[in-house]
Structure formats: structure tokens, C-alpha cells
Amino acid sequence: MSEDSGTASTRLIHSGLLDIVPGAGDPAEPRTVTTPLTGFRDVEIGVWDITPGVAEDVEVDEVFLVLAGAGRVAFDDGSSIDLRPGVLVRLVAGDRTVWTIDEPLRKLYLA
């Protein structure tokens, strides 16, 4: 089916999620870009990009799918998850995390 000016155009949210935009940054201070795309009921759906480096965060309830890049997210309990395309992760509000990004990373999130 092709995209037309009818209902398909109102259903298409974004057609280029796999294009990595952020460039290399200062490894000590990764740059992040959050791009909300749409909402569905009370859930925000968007894309989050981060350049290589290390960043700490306190999370909100979120599920995300890694679209591109590589790295890992470590949790206060000592566990960690390797991040690569295709990895699906659930974060819990209040999780304290350390993100170590080796290659520019892009994730699709639902929060």
C-alpha cells in the first residue's frame, strides 16, 4: 500500500526513525536529544538519542527498544543490560542508572 493524503497520512507518525543524527560529543559529557513523537492514551511515545560517553539518570516508568548503537545501562543493584539494536528493556520509576554509550544510541520509548 502506498501513503496517500487520506487516512494513511494521519496514521504515519515518523518515516525515518533509523537515521542517526547526533554526532560525536565530548566523551565526558554525552549529548542527549529527546523527540516526543505522539501520545497514545496516557503514554508518550518518542525517540531518545545519546552520543558516546557516560551519563547518570533517575528513570521514569518506561519501555524502550534500541534501534541503533551500542552500550550498556547499569543499575544500583549491580545488574546491567547490554544495549544493541533489537534489545527491549523495561525501566521502573526511581531506578538509578548509569548509561555507558560506546556508539551513538537511538531508542524508541514508551513512557
Side-chain angles (χ1 to χ4, degrees):
M1 284 200 144
S2 65
E3 181 183 339
D4 62 24
S5 60
T7 57
S9 64
T10 62
R11 291 183 175 135
L12 178 65
I13 296 169
H14 197 283
S15 62
L17 290 181
L18 299 181
D19 300 327
I20 294 293
V21 174
D26 177 352
E29 296 182 26
R31 182 171 58 105
T32 64
V33 177
T34 302
T35 308
L37 298 174
T38 191
F40 182 74
R41 299 190 182 171
D42 62 345
V43 176
E44 179 180 285
I45 301 169
V47 174
W48 184 74
D49 293 289
I50 185 169
T51 57
V54 177
E56 295 182 15
D57 201 4
V58 178
E59 303 300 337
V60 299
D61 284 327
E62 176 182 321
V63 173
F64 70 86
L65 174 66
V66 177
L67 300 175
R72 70 200 119 305
V73 59
F75 301 87
D76 270 354
D77 66 3
S79 65
S80 65
I81 298 172
D82 289 331
L83 303 173
R84 65 185 185 290
V87 171
L88 183 65
V89 177
R90 165 89 160 76
L91 299 174
V92 176
D95 279 344
R96 294 185 181 280
T97 56
V98 177
W99 297 75
T100 303
I101 305 303
D102 302 317
E103 299 173 14
L105 188 121
R106 172 167 281 181
K107 68 179 186 176
L108 175 68
Y109 68 85
L110 292 84

